[in-house]
Every structure is written in C-alpha cells, then in structure tokens.
Amino acid sequence: MSELTYREMGLTDEEYQQILGVMGREPNYLEIGMFSVMWSEHCGYKNSRPLLKTFPTQGPQVIQGPGENAGVVDIGDGQALVFKIESHNHPSAIEPYQGAATGVGGIVRDIFTMGARPIASLNSLRFGPLDDARVRELLSGVVAGIGDYGNCLGIPTVGGEVYFNPSYQGNPLVNAMCVGLVKTDELALAVANEVGATIMIVGAKTGRDGIHGATFASEELSEKSASKRPSVQVGDPFMEKLLIEACLELIQQDLVAGMQDLGAAGLTSSIAETASKKGLGVEVDVLKVPRRETGMSPYEVMLSESQERMLIIPRSGAEARIEEIFEKWGLDAVVIGTVTGDGIFRVKEGETVVGEVPVQALTEGCPVYVRTGEEPEYYQRCRDYDLTGLPVIPPQEALQQLLASPNIASKKWIFSQYDYQVMTNTAILPGDGDAAVLRIKGTRKGVALVTDCNSRLVYLDPYQGAMQAVCEAARNLACVGARPLALTNCLNFGNPEKPNIYWQMQNAIAGMSVAAQALDTPVVSGNVSLYNETAAGAIYPTPVVGMAGVLADVDKRCDMAFKEPGDLIILLGGFRDELGGSEYLSVCHGLETGAVPTVNLTAEKSLQELILQLIHDDILQSCHDISEGGLAVALAESAIKGKIGCTVKINSEHSRVDGILFSEAPSRVIASVKRSRLDQLVQAVVEHEVEMRIIGHVGGDRLVIEDDGSEIIRMTVGDAARRWGEAIEWFMK
C-alpha cells in the first residue's frame, strides 16, 4: 500500500510538532501511524474528554465506572451487570452489512472481556427518510448485519430504537449495546500490572482489514469515503462464538491477569491502554502475530482492526494451559511480547526494533482541546416560534398520519429479523413493553434494558432534550417494573471544531449529567462519535442513552397492553398543551421547531417511584410512557397491544385540542387499573404527590376519544393496528 502523510492519517501540523517534541527526532512511518490512531477522536477523545469528566460516575451500585471496556453495576446475590454502547457509524455508511455486524461483534467483545457472559444486545439506529432508495438499502443492510451476527452468536437482540430524519441522509447512525452477567468475584480488568508478564494474542488471525478504521471514524464523510471501504472490518460470528467460550473458560480457571479487546486501532490501542494504567512498557514482536495474509508490514500488523481477536496478560506460568484451551476451541493463542518497566512501547520485527514510542505519549499524552461553544442561529428562532396561529388538523386525521409515521409505527419488520428469544430468558418481547425484560435464571430477579434519545428535541434544545433522553430511559424501565441502576451513552455529534456543534455537545452533556444525578443513574461507560457530517451538514445531535434496571421479582413485570373490559384508564402526570418539537408538528405540519417542553426532575423522580410501587403491589394492569405522538398515540398503542378498545374523555376548553392529544411533554404515563384497586392507587398517588386523572375505561373494539362530550376520534382497533403495523413494511416491500 502507498504511504500516507501524517495529514492524511488525521494529524494536524501542530500535533505533528508535538510528536517531534515527544520523540526528540523524526518518527518513522510506523510510529506516525501509531500516534495517528491513538490521537484520533475515536481513541483519544481529544475534543470531548473535558466534557466527559463532568458526568456523575459514582454510586453504591457501581462496581466499575468509565475507564474499562464496559461499566459494571451490582445487582445483588454476588452478581453484576456489565454493559456498554458504542458506535459503528462511518463503517455502516460505507458497508452497511459488515459495518453493523462488526459493530455488534466489537461491543460483545467489550462485555466478555470483563469476564461476563453476554445475555442481550440492543441497538439505536438513525437513517434518512424511508422514501429514499439508498436509505432503504442502508436499513436493509444494517438490520441484516445486526441480525445475522447476533443470531449466529446465540445472543438475543431484545430491544432498540430507530428514527428517520433528513439530517441522517448520507450519515446513518448505528449504535450497538450489549449486556452481560458476571459473578462479582470473576470480574476481569484490562491491565498489565507486573513487569515480565507475557502478552498473548488470541482468537482469529490478523489481516489487512480495518487499517485506520479509528482514523476513518474521526473524520467527516464525503464523496471520497467510499474509497475507504478497506477501513471497514470483516466479521466472523462463528469465530467470535468460539472466542467467547474460550475466554470465559480462561477466567473461570483463573488463568488471566488482564484481558483487552482488539477493537479500534487494533494491537496499538489494546497494548498501549493495557500498559498505560500502571505506567509500564511493552515489547512486541510482530513476526509472532498469526496472519491470514502474506507480506504484511509492521505498520499493517499494528494498525489492523481484524475482528475476533483479544489481548491477554496471563497469570504467571499459565501460558501453556491457555494455549491448550484455545487449541481445543480451534483458535490461535500465541505469546507475542512481554511487559517491561521502562514505559516504552517497543515494536520489533524479529531482532530488529522498528518502532519505539513512550506509552504515556500515546495515551495520556493525547492532546486535549477545550473549545468555545457558540449558540447556533436557529436556537432562539425555534424556541420563540409562535405556534398559536397553527391550524388544528382534525384529530382523527392527525392520529391516522401519526400511526403510519415510521418513527412511531411498529418496528416489527426490523425486530422480526432478530432472534430475541434465544437463551429463553426474554420475558417482555420487543414492542410489548416500554423496555425489554429478561429473567436471570436461578433467581427471582429480572433485568430491564432500553435505549432512548429523541434527537429532534436535542437539536431544538440540547440541554432539555438530552435531559429528557435520560428521563425517558429511566421512565421506560420504571414502566415495566424495574428500578433504574445506571446508564451508558453514545454521544453522536457533528464536527466539534465548529462552535455551534461544540455548543450542542456542551449543553447536551450538561443536561444528561443533571438528569443522571437527580435520578441516581450514574454514567458507567460510553462512547463518543463525532464528525458525523456530510456536505449537506451535520446530523441532529444524538446522545443515545442505554440504561439498565433490575426487578426484584420478574413475575411482577408490567407491559403496555390494556387487559380487561371495565378497567379504568389513568393519566399520571396530567394534561400538557405543549407541541414544540413533537412528531405531530413534523408529520402533520412539516415543522421541526418550537420550545421544547421542560423537565421537572423532582416530579419525574416522584412519578417513577410511584410507578415502581404500584407495579410492585400488583395494582396496575398496564403502564405505558407518553412520548412520541403524545397521549393519543400512547392510548392507541395500548389498545393495539391488548387487542381491545377504550373510551377516553378530555376537556380542551382552555387548551388546543391537538396540544392535549399530541403533546410529548415528559413525566407522564397512561396506566390501567381494576376498579377494585382504585382506592389503593389513589392512596399511593397522594403519598407521592403525583397529579392523577381518571380519563376513561377499557372495552369494546374501538378507540374513542371525546372532547367536552363530542367524539373527535373513533377508530377501530383493527384499523389502528393496520396503519401502525404496516407502515415500515410498506416502504420496504
């Protein structure tokens, strides 16, 4: 391959001068390559590190926060959840199938690297409008890649989200989340803590795929991006399945002192990060690295991002046993180097030294940029937009349009391609509740998992929008009966060097931090994906929240479906006439503007505590968060899932009727309850000081909504189900 300049590797002139100062000489080609990948945004977080430090990361439930491959939270009984979300955006834009597949593979490795058995996968996806043929091609490829890789691994894909918006045209987002279960005394960390320890590479052989993948992920997409297809890794899920079993066997036999996934920047990153934590050095011989291609240079070996590979620091004398175990599983396990005490990352090719770089220069020495944000022009204009003169779309017509919007419609076309019941632990199936729920076999416990972010709200108001992403994730967990524990995030933004984009980042992270602190859901892991831009502009800021919660008794889980005729329908949180940033404005009026509804964190916390108590005490028949589409859509979804109608009464005397029906104001849910349990519900509501209204009852085969005695919506549940269920499938035929 032809040699690249340091600029083509993503380094600036100033950064190159810094490297000269560190090295005291001109670096060679390999050394420049090592700096370029380690100083990329993807590995070094050079534009985001100061902001990330503001997240709350501590709590009594936190065993391991940011800084390892994944976060770890205690769920009692000597067990812990290990989870993380990360992006594979740019690779998926160029090669959707392999980009998405290897995104799944990479996040799964982050989990079993910690000694945890992966138990579930989720995702968060963003695309341009579905009426575009290229978007449909991207969606098909991404979904197939996620499904095929996860299905082959035998890990259920149990939840996720997908949104369609023109801002993602040409720059889709593919965020993958994985959750694992581990005994707290079998937790493994990625650290080299002993001089003289050996370094082993295990798993698949190394090829030329993925070279400079970290750099590619840290630049804007352009017409030239298609030429970087070789930067996209190629995955082998069957190899990864073997790797999971082999690595977990090592941990169970206590043969491992440290373990690290070979992800972004390959051997360079994994070795440097492992050594850096204790201020140690390493010596590696590239000739010992098993290869699947001939003639590979040290540069190619050290920067390759070939998949299904791990770095292992064995316990003293365990090398032979590790080799035996990996031979049993049909995988390579080879000693390629040793840990040293001189703090130097030394790369050899046989007896020849081909590169020497201070470890700390690659990691802690990465430049950090504290930039100045600038409020974008659109912000005030959108916030001050006057909606009072907006014509009211007939409510039934508006609801029909919303149910058929791809952002609201059933995602069955997507999740039906995933095996979400493998392992037989899935207790709430995709689409049936506000979050996925899984049993933990051998206990009464369950775990609930969710991904959330309404990027339109974040665009219109980064602080409030990001705060709402955290609140909605936690509320969704509460709606299935799970107490939220902690969150992971994937921060997808445009070019941070632009002041308006940096302003979005600053405010979004601030909003997330405040909400996470208030709801006792610390940030334990995450990922940053910047430079998500094309010539047409930046994506909507999309700080995706992945959150995990625990149910003390999985049998007490709750879903969204209405159950029995005569059950009362309860609105918790009250009516709110606020349409800013709503799907209604976008779909029915072609507007993405307005003041975003604000969050009252005290009210949000009270609501969640109330819901958890009501579900624990077996008072609720169903519970469903009011989010995209507002109250009317939430009612329709509960009716569709229960295959039973409802009659609801509102009063818009002092409000816009479309505001009451379609507002997406936070901290609200609809629930159903047996009449015999109403008194208990009221007592709990009073204790938690939550606003409550009885708005209707379950029954019949129609969704009926009345306003001041007049019917404004009358729709059969079958008609609603058809519109909601077939929308995405219609586009994808």
Side-chain angles (χ1 to χ4, degrees):
M1 62 183 291
S2 60
E3 293 196 352
L4 305 171
T5 67
Y6 67 80
R7 292 174 179 167
E8 291 172 322
M9 293 184 191
L11 294 166
T12 66
D13 292 343
E14 293 77 13
E15 288 168 349
Y16 188 70
Q17 289 300 314
Q18 187 175 335
I19 292 169
L20 292 177
V22 168
M23 299 290 286
R25 58 175 174 82
E26 289 280 347
N28 63 33
Y29 190 65
L30 168 62
E31 293 164 341
I32 296 173
M34 293 170 68
F35 273 108
S36 74
V37 292
M38 293 301 296
W39 286 15
S40 68
E41 181 63 38
H42 196 77
C43 292
Y45 296 98
K46 57 189 178 185
N47 289 290
S48 54
R49 200 182 303 181
L51 299 177
L52 300 179
K53 289 181 178 179
T54 64
F55 280 133
T57 59
Q58 302 295 317
Q61 70 276 45
V62 178
I63 296 175
Q64 177 64 59
E68 274 290 336
N69 284 295
V72 186
V73 293
D74 194 341
I75 59 170
D77 304 315
Q79 293 179 310
L81 286 183
V82 180
F83 61 102
K84 184 184 180 183
I85 189 170
E86 65 181 18
S87 63
H88 230 222
N89 301 336
H90 285 24
S92 300
I94 303 303
E95 179 50 65
Y97 182 89
Q98 288 293 349
T102 53
V104 173
I107 195 64
V108 168
R109 289 194 298 279
D110 281 339
I111 301 309
F112 71 78
T113 295
M114 303 288 291
R117 179 168 292 280
I119 60 171
S121 292
L122 299 91
N123 51 70
S124 176
L125 312 175
R126 300 291 189 283
F127 300 93
L130 268 179
D131 58 5
D132 182 274
R134 175 56 180 166
V135 168
R136 295 193 296 274
E137 182 183 337
L138 288 169
L139 175 62
S140 293
V142 165
V143 170
I146 292 171
D148 287 355
Y149 204 100
N151 295 351
C152 290
L153 288 181
I155 300 171
T157 302
V158 298
E161 56 165 4
V162 61
Y163 285 89
F164 305 91
N165 184 276
S167 76
Y168 304 105
Q169 190 86 27
N171 196 136
L173 302 185
V174 178
N175 294 180
M177 177 176 170
C178 188
V179 183
L181 187 66
V182 68
K183 294 179 180 177
T184 52
D185 59 0
E186 292 184 355
L187 190 64
L189 301 178
V191 61
N193 54 15
E194 186 178 334
V195 174
T198 55
I199 299 171
M200 300 183 75
I201 187 171
V202 303
K205 290 179 169 55
T206 298
R208 289 187 170 93
D209 54 316
I211 294 174
H212 271 294
T215 308
F216 173 49
S218 306
E219 61 186 31
E220 294 180 19
L221 291 172
S222 68
E223 293 180 358
K224 297 180 180 178
S225 296
S227 66
K228 300 192 178 179
R229 192 177 296 268
S231 296
V232 179
Q233 309 92 334
V234 178
D236 182 347
F238 300 103
M239 181 77 72
E240 179 124 336
K241 176 62 176 173
L242 298 174
L243 187 61
I244 292 173
E245 300 304 329
C247 288
L248 293 181
E249 187 171 341
L250 300 188
I251 291 168
Q252 289 158 6
Q253 295 190 24
D254 196 25
L255 301 174
V256 175
M259 189 156 58
Q260 172 75 30
D261 167 41
L262 268 70
L267 275 169
T268 296
S269 174
S270 60
I271 293 174
E273 290 174 357
T274 302
S276 159
K277 292 175 181 177
K278 295 293 184 180
L280 299 174
V282 289
E283 186 171 289
V284 176
D285 184 357
V286 295
L287 289 182
K288 295 179 179 178
V289 176
R291 311 175 190 189
R292 65 170 187 260
E293 298 183 54
T294 60
M296 292 183 68
S297 67
Y299 174 93
E300 292 172 320
V301 173
M302 293 304 299
L303 269 66
S304 168
E305 295 181 11
S306 293
Q307 299 290 283
E308 294 85 41
R309 303 179 301 158
M310 305 287 282
L311 189 81
I312 288 178
I313 311 296
R315 294 208 183 279
S316 180
E319 292 85 356
R321 180 59 184 145
I322 291 173
E323 289 172 3
E324 288 175 11
I325 290 171
F326 272 80
E327 184 179 1
K328 178 184 72 175
W329 290 101
L331 301 171
D332 290 321
V334 179
V335 175
I336 63 169
T338 57
V339 179
T340 66
D342 62 3
I344 300 298
F345 193 148
R346 187 171 294 105
V347 183
K348 299 174 71 175
E349 190 174 30
E351 295 302 313
T352 305
V353 176
V354 293
E356 288 187 308
V357 179
V359 170
Q360 294 296 322
L362 294 173
T363 55
E364 297 304 312
C366 177
V368 175
Y369 300 112
V370 180
R371 302 191 183 277
T372 301
E374 183 178 300
E375 182 182 291
E377 176 274 332
Y378 73 81
Y379 174 66
Q380 288 290 345
R381 172 168 47 81
C382 289
R383 193 176 68 173
D384 297 338
Y385 192 93
D386 185 5
L387 298 174
T388 56
L390 199 71
V392 175
I393 306 294
Q396 178 140 332
E397 179 185 332
L399 179 57
Q400 290 171 337
Q401 291 184 47
L402 286 169
L403 289 174
S405 165
N407 288 339
I408 288 174
S410 169
K411 308 305 187 294
K412 186 177 180 179
W413 183 89
I414 295 171
F415 66 70
S416 63
Q417 299 183 54
Y418 307 149
D419 189 343
Y420 46 80
Q421 290 182 298
V422 65
M423 294 187 177
T424 66
N425 294 324
T426 311
I428 291 184
L429 304 182
D432 287 352
D434 286 349
V437 175
L438 291 92
R439 300 178 183 86
I440 299 179
K441 287 179 179 173
T443 76
R444 295 190 63 86
K445 293 183 299 194
V447 295
L449 310 166
V450 73
T451 56
D452 266 305
C453 178
N454 186 326
S455 56
R456 183 189 298 123
L457 298 184
V458 184
Y459 169 76
L460 293 173
D461 190 328
Y463 184 83
Q464 286 291 334
M467 188 182 293
Q468 288 202 35
V470 175
C471 290
E472 184 177 352
R475 193 183 320 126
N476 283 333
L477 295 181
C479 283
V480 298
R483 180 168 294 281
L485 290 175
L487 68 89
T488 180
N489 56 42
C490 194
L491 306 178
N492 306 273
F493 291 86
N495 184 345
E497 299 166 40
K498 298 177 180 178
N500 63 317
I501 301 297
Y502 197 76
W503 179 88
Q504 292 176 339
M505 287 176 58
Q506 284 177 306
N507 282 275
I509 288 171
M512 294 181 77
S513 297
V514 170
Q517 188 75 49
L519 300 180
D520 302 317
T521 52
V523 179
V524 296
S525 61
N527 173 242
V528 174
S529 175
L530 306 183
Y531 299 93
N532 289 292
E533 296 198 21
T534 64
I539 62 163
Y540 274 1
T542 312
V544 175
V545 173
M547 194 173 288
V550 64
L551 297 86
D553 186 348
V554 72
D555 290 337
K556 290 182 179 285
R557 64 190 181 276
C558 191
D559 61 29
M560 69 172 68
F562 289 149
K563 301 298 189 298
E564 297 178 23
D567 287 349
L568 298 175
I569 299 173
I570 310 297
L571 172 62
L572 298 173
F575 294 120
R576 288 177 67 175
D577 175 12
E578 297 170 276
L579 287 171
S582 64
E583 189 74 7
Y584 168 75
L585 277 189
S586 178
V587 170
C588 298
H589 293 277
L591 296 172
E592 301 203 337
T593 190
V596 171
T598 57
V599 179
N600 181 323
L601 289 170
T602 302
E604 180 69 48
K605 183 70 171 174
S606 296
L607 175 67
Q608 292 183 25
E609 292 293 338
L610 169 64
I611 296 168
L612 288 171
Q613 180 183 328
L614 293 174
I615 293 175
H616 178 270
D617 293 343
D618 295 317
I619 292 173
L620 297 186
Q621 292 276 76
S622 69
C623 192
H624 187 22
D625 168 44
I626 296 175
S627 54
E628 289 83 5
L631 173 64
V633 166
L635 290 166
E637 289 173 336
S638 290
I640 291 167
K641 284 297 173 179
K643 299 180 180 179
I644 188 170
C646 63
T647 299
V648 169
K649 297 180 180 181
I650 64 170
N651 189 332
S652 65
E653 182 180 358
H654 303 295
S655 308
R656 292 178 59 110
V657 65
D658 53 357
I660 297 292
L661 292 173
F662 307 118
S663 168
E664 297 174 11
S667 311
R668 301 184 304 148
V669 303
I670 58 165
S672 60
V673 60
K674 291 184 177 182
R675 293 176 185 269
S676 60
R677 309 300 298 271
L678 180 61
D679 289 346
Q680 292 170 279
L681 183 145
V682 171
Q683 182 180 347
V685 165
V686 171
E687 290 172 356
H688 287 85
E689 299 181 339
V690 172
E691 183 179 354
M692 183 201 93
R693 293 173 183 260
I694 302 172
I695 61 172
H697 65 272
V698 176
D701 64 353
R702 298 176 187 274
L703 169 63
V704 179
I705 300 179
E706 300 176 1
D707 181 22
D708 196 25
S710 300
E711 284 188 2
I712 55 174
I713 292 176
R714 173 175 278 272
M715 186 185 305
T716 67
V717 174
D719 182 42
R722 180 181 58 79
R723 295 175 184 275
W724 177 81
E726 297 177 0
I728 292 179
E729 186 175 328
W730 183 86
F731 278 106
M732 301 306 295
K733 286 181 179 177

